[in-house]
């Protein structure tokens, strides 16, 4: 099954959201108004809506020895795309809240991961599995 997801989420403003998702991550810009904007997020639809009520981050997720922010969203990418995004983020001096690293090394589910915050403080995780067949193992 080849399906796409749609995620609507809160952002502080449109200008900085476009800068982050379009200019830094390279996501194609979609429809927009002064209150929301859509992006092609690696084949999926993100809809960023302006809000004055941004949630506080909660690092309640515990994965191996890392505390991860919950909720977060992200994308599973092939290794070349993952490395390309990592390079773009470093070039634009985006701070990693969890630096690029390998998780579950030499085990089922082994993958690369990295976490960042967008300019509205939304946590985003990028992953890349050597074997996508192990995605749910």
């Amino acid at each position: 099954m080849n399906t796409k997801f749609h995620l609507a989420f809160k952002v502080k403003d449109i200008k900085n959201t476009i800068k982050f998702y379009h200019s830094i991550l390279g996501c194609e810009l979609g429809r927009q108004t002064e209150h929301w904007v859509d992006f092609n997020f690696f084949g999926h639809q993100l809809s960023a809506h302006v809000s004055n009520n941004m949630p506080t981050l909660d690092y309640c997720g515990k994965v191996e020895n890392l505390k991860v922010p919950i909720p977060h969203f992200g994308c599973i990418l092939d290794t070349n795309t993952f490395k390309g995004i990592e390079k773009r983020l470093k070039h634009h001096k985006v701070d990693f809240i969890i630096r690029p690293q390998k998780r579950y090394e030499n085990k089922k589910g082994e993958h690369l991961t990295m976490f960042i915050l967008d300019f509205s403080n939304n946590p985003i995780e990028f992953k890349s599995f050597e074997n996508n067949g192990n995605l749910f193992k």
Side-chain angles (χ1 to χ4, degrees), residues 109-125:
E110 178 180 312
H111 64 277
L112 298 173
T113 185
M114 59 183 160
F115 276 82
I116 57 171
L117 297 175
D118 71 10
F119 294 155
S120 293
N121 222 32
N122 290 302
I124 305 168
E125 180 181 18

Side-chain angles (χ1 to χ4, degrees), residues 17-73:
T17 299
I18 290 172
K19 179 179 179 184
F20 186 84
Y21 288 92
H22 180 63
S23 301
I24 294 176
L25 290 183
C27 297
E28 181 183 337
L29 190 59
R31 296 169 292 164
Q32 70 181 93
T33 71
E34 63 187 71
H35 303 288
W36 58 266
V37 59
D38 286 343
F39 298 97
N40 177 343
F41 186 71
F42 307 96
H44 307 283
Q45 185 190 44
L46 288 186
S47 294
H49 294 260
V50 175
S51 176
N52 293 323
N53 186 18
M54 298 300 293
T56 304
L57 288 180
D58 183 359
Y59 285 81
C60 66
K62 293 180 183 162
V63 181
E64 290 188 310
N65 61 342
L66 300 173
K67 289 185 177 182
V68 300
I70 304 295
H72 64 266
F73 67 91

